Amino acid sequence: ELRRRRQELRSRMELLIMETQAEVCRALAALDPGAAFSVDTWERKEGGGGVSCVLQDGEVFEKAGVNVSVVFGQLSEEAARQMRSRGKTLKAAEDGKLPFCAMGVSSVIHPKNPHVPTMHFNYRYFEIEEADGTKQWWFGGGTDLTPTYLNEEDAVHFHKTLKEACDKHDLKLYPKYKKWCDDYFYIKHRGERRGIGGIFFDDVDSPSKEEVFQFVQSCAKAVVPCYIPIVKKHCHDSFTPEEKLWQQLRRGRYVEFNLVYDRGTKFGLLTPGSRIESILMSLPLTARWEYMNIPPESSREAEILEVLRNPKDWVH
């Protein structure tokens, strides 16, 4: 009975990530009718595969990707080490093998217009079978926003929508996961966050599998309403070459975070047979690194930096 229930949850999670991918792709395609998604189905010889949907060089989106993957096999020693460093006790079989199953949906959307923020979300489920047959499982994920320029109204809308999704389950979740998000997307060598946050959580395995799944489902359903209205509102705003340049510099920071700190990127690069194109889909089409670019005080560029250095509470 337990095994049947476990399988059932795995298939429900698989369905949720597929539905989320379809829903987000539909919403993006509706805003950028001239652009077409390229859809790649890929398989991993070690087990599993996925579907990557990527839109490139549209009118509204410079690059937008939504990936789903369901992979299984043996956890690499390197990946197991990364998990143990987060406090997981994983008892491998004598031959060192740890069978795992991981599934998730993940997306990064880089718009052309500097007044439309970049958005990222990811929701995933992980299961590991230990040597004695016990299964460890957990969910992780989050949704966060990275604007080039600060628009308070948008920030409030984004955070409020995510807070409502969390509040349906437990009022403690939003403040906890908002702080986790601010702490996680921190570019230590720059002393600033990657964006204005949102929610982020990992290794969540309580109160029960069903309750955590319901919570993840609410978060996934909040993706379109928290972001699409912001895109609609700004995708036709006019912008200057200087604003476009600032967007390129901010994207450079995005790349730095993803390549140096992001756990998902690291896990992907350490997993044998993983699809590098899908993992690095999160990187923008274009970005810049200028030597010693410091915006003038009290400029709009300095304003966003202030918020990235000192995260704000947007909803209270």
Side-chain angles (χ1 to χ4, degrees):
E1 168 60 12
L2 197 65
R3 164 156 289 197
R4 191 188 62 76
R5 293 226 318 262
R6 187 179 286 135
Q7 283 305 108
E8 190 199 337
L9 192 119
R10 263 167 63 166
S11 28
R12 282 162 67 204
M13 182 65 181
E14 213 172 312
L15 192 61
L16 175 66
I17 62 180
M18 299 293 211
E19 283 172 348
T20 305
Q21 181 185 42
E23 192 185 337
V24 173
C25 287
R26 270 199 304 274
L28 297 175
L31 289 177
D32 207 340
F37 274 99
S38 69
V39 179
D40 290 319
T41 306
W42 52 275
E43 274 177 29
R44 176 174 171 270
K45 67 174 191 296
E46 294 80 356
V51 182
S52 300
C53 298
V54 181
L55 185 158
Q56 221 163 249
D57 264 331
E59 289 294 306
V60 175
F61 302 110
E62 190 166 295
K63 188 172 172 197
V66 194
N67 285 348
V68 295
S69 64
V70 179
V71 297
F72 45 88
Q74 303 297 332
L75 206 58
S76 72
E77 193 39 58
E78 201 49 47
R81 197 175 306 137
Q82 198 189 324
M83 287 175 183
R84 288 190 178 106
S85 74
R86 307 207 310 260
K88 294 251 167 245
T89 48
L90 303 172
K91 297 183 283 293
E94 281 182 18
D95 56 7
K97 288 197 163 165
L98 273 170
F100 81 97
C101 165
M103 57 178 73
V105 55
S106 96
S107 170
V108 176
I109 298 160
H110 293 291
K112 277 202 163 155
N113 192 314
H115 299 297
V116 183
T118 283
M119 197 264 289
H120 155 260
F121 76 88
N122 168 296
Y123 290 99
R124 57 191 180 276
Y125 172 71
F126 215 96
E127 201 172 83
I128 290 184
E129 189 169 339
E130 295 184 274
D132 58 5
T134 54
K135 287 224 170 137
Q136 284 205 46
W137 60 268
W138 63 89
F139 288 88
T143 303
D144 62 279
L145 198 68
T146 306
T148 301
Y149 289 98
L150 184 63
N151 180 307
E152 297 233 355
E153 206 176 86
D154 297 345
V156 170
H157 165 81
F158 184 80
H159 276 271
K160 250 193 171 142
T161 311
L162 294 176
K163 182 180 183 294
E164 282 162 18
C166 294
D167 286 355
K168 279 186 211 156
H169 301 271
D170 184 339
L171 297 178
K172 290 199 274 300
L173 296 179
Y174 171 77
K176 180 181 173 184
Y177 295 158
K178 190 251 184 222
K179 183 184 184 314
W180 198 338
C181 189
D182 289 333
D183 294 345
Y184 178 74
F185 290 105
Y186 181 60
I187 308 171
K188 207 186 268 164
H189 61 266
R190 298 282 189 184
E192 60 192 48
R193 272 91 201 145
R194 187 178 80 175
I196 58 159
I199 54 171
F200 178 85
F201 55 92
D202 206 354
D203 302 324
V204 177
D205 55 8
S206 65
S208 73
K209 202 183 249 189
E210 182 57 41
E211 285 169 277
V212 187
F213 173 74
Q214 297 283 350
F215 164 66
V216 167
Q217 191 170 29
S218 297
C219 294
K221 297 257 176 273
V223 168
V224 167
C226 76
Y227 180 61
I228 295 297
I230 298 175
V231 182
K232 278 188 178 154
K233 183 172 146 190
H234 297 291
C235 62
H236 300 301
D237 289 7
S238 59
F239 58 89
T240 65
E242 291 72 32
E243 288 169 333
K244 187 67 189 170
L245 178 67
W246 178 244
Q247 181 194 43
Q248 299 284 289
L249 292 166
R250 298 314 308 159
R251 288 213 187 129
R253 298 283 208 269
Y254 205 90
V255 173
E256 288 175 30
F257 178 84
N258 280 28
L259 294 183
V260 178
Y261 301 109
D262 189 71
R263 217 186 270 163
T265 305
K266 281 184 180 169
F267 175 78
L269 297 175
L270 296 173
T271 301
S274 59
R275 189 167 186 264
I276 301 303
E277 283 298 316
S278 299
I279 295 161
L280 298 182
M281 170 208 84
S282 63
L283 302 181
L285 210 51
T286 57
R288 264 178 93 98
W289 285 268
E290 282 186 11
Y291 185 67
M292 302 294 281
N293 180 294
I294 296 158
E297 269 180 54
S298 72
S299 62
R300 290 206 60 208
E301 290 76 12
E303 175 191 37
I304 185 86
L305 284 180
E306 173 56 33
V307 173
L308 300 177
R309 287 173 188 151
N310 304 292
K312 277 178 70 164
D313 178 356
W314 299 102
V315 292
H316 296 106

